[in-house]
Amino acid sequence: MAECVFCKRADNDPYIFGETCQRGGLRFHKNCLYHASNLTQRGEDNEGFFGFLLPDIQQELQRVAQKKCCICQKWGASVRCHHQRCSCTFHFPCGRERGCVSQFFGEYRSFCWQHAPKQQVRLVPQEHRQCTVCMEAVEEHLSFTTLTCPACNTAHFHRYCVQRQALIAARHRFHCLFCWDMETFQAEMLKLGINIPSM
Ligand SMILES: [Zn+2]
Ligand SMILES: [Zn+2]
Ligand SMILES: [Zn+2]
Ligand SMILES: [Zn+2]
Ligand SMILES: [Zn+2]
């Protein structure tokens, strides 16, 4: 299968890359478009690639051709850390593997693994810590891959599992599966880079 022009990867797991759009021999991951630092969506949702117009995409590709990924050291790194004094740029999937956070609201900011927002919650000691979504074990400590609900401080989730749940439930239904909190839970998940679609 053809690779995404931005990240050069052919993987298409929608819970990591978002949907994929292929047109005229070009293929893009939705998340690679959304998080390319100097790219804005200027078309309607059904125009171009997810609303991103080809001339804008080409301009962004030209810009990032000179940007080296601080993770894989290859060129074409389109995502920039938003932290003021950080010059780290990376490919979206490289960032995902290294613990970088890209947010899906407001300015769609991204942060490298050093500056990524982290949860400030203190974990209550528990015998068998498991993911509330898949029931498999989670890590002993909160991390990029192990998240907790700030409202009950009891439910834990794998990032992958909670992202999948968010895409299915969307804004009007996405809640903590343990305490049913929506507001605090959604705000925290957005901050941590979980994509909660509006519908
Ligand atoms: Zn991509
Ligand atoms: Zn890379
Ligand atoms: Zn940074
Ligand atoms: Zn899980
Ligand atoms: Zn909860």
Side-chain angles (χ1 to χ4, degrees):
M1 197 184 278
E3 57 190 29
C4 164
V5 183
F6 269 108
C7 70
K8 308 277 187 283
R9 299 211 195 187
D11 319 34
N12 62 355
D13 185 336
Y15 304 131
I16 292 178
F17 297 94
E19 297 156 64
T20 298
C21 184
Q22 183 155 358
R23 222 172 252 186
L26 296 173
R27 189 163 182 266
F28 295 99
H29 293 127
K30 194 173 190 177
N31 291 354
C32 285
L33 291 167
Y34 271 98
H35 297 296
S37 294
N38 285 19
L39 188 59
T40 27
Q41 196 182 22
R42 293 199 297 162
E44 298 297 322
D45 280 346
N46 57 355
E47 278 182 283
F49 297 84
F50 302 110
F52 294 91
L53 306 178
L54 193 54
D56 293 345
I57 295 175
Q58 281 164 335
Q59 197 179 12
E60 179 68 348
L61 284 167
Q62 215 165 34
R63 180 187 74 84
V64 306
Q66 325 282 334
K67 303 283 177 196
K68 207 177 212 177
C69 176
C70 61
I71 296 158
C72 74
Q73 310 300 328
K74 291 181 186 149
W75 300 101
S78 54
V79 193
R80 182 177 58 231
C81 175
H82 190 80
H83 190 271
Q84 275 184 341
R85 289 180 301 279
C86 185
S87 56
C88 185
T89 52
F90 47 92
H91 298 105
F92 179 79
C94 293
R96 182 66 172 59
E97 288 158 6
R98 185 68 178 78
C100 305
V101 160
S102 287
Q103 297 174 330
F104 290 83
F105 70 100
E107 296 173 56
Y108 282 69
R109 292 175 179 175
S110 291
F111 300 91
C112 72
W113 68 95
Q114 283 168 298
H115 301 119
K118 312 228 167 31
Q119 290 196 285
Q120 305 297 342
V121 188
R122 253 207 168 174
L123 281 189
V124 186
Q126 267 176 31
E127 279 278 312
H128 302 288
R129 229 178 268 289
Q130 63 178 29
C131 169
T132 312
V133 181
C134 73
M135 303 302 170
E136 300 286 330
V138 295
E139 295 167 273
E140 286 298 315
H141 305 283
L142 292 177
S143 66
F144 177 72
T145 41
T146 300
L147 312 176
T148 190
C149 164
C152 62
N153 196 2
T154 305
H156 300 92
F157 320 92
H158 295 116
R159 173 176 288 268
Y160 186 85
C161 294
V162 82
Q163 177 59 82
R164 196 182 49 179
Q165 195 209 340
L167 290 179
I168 295 165
R171 290 286 170 113
H172 64 293
R173 281 197 299 133
F174 182 52
H175 58 78
C176 168
L177 289 176
F178 187 79
C179 71
W180 281 70
D181 179 275
M182 267 179 96
E183 207 175 329
T184 317
F185 177 68
Q186 286 199 9
E188 179 90 342
M189 293 304 129
L190 282 172
K191 189 185 87 184
L192 296 170
I194 299 299
N195 180 13
I196 315 172
S198 51
M199 46 184 273

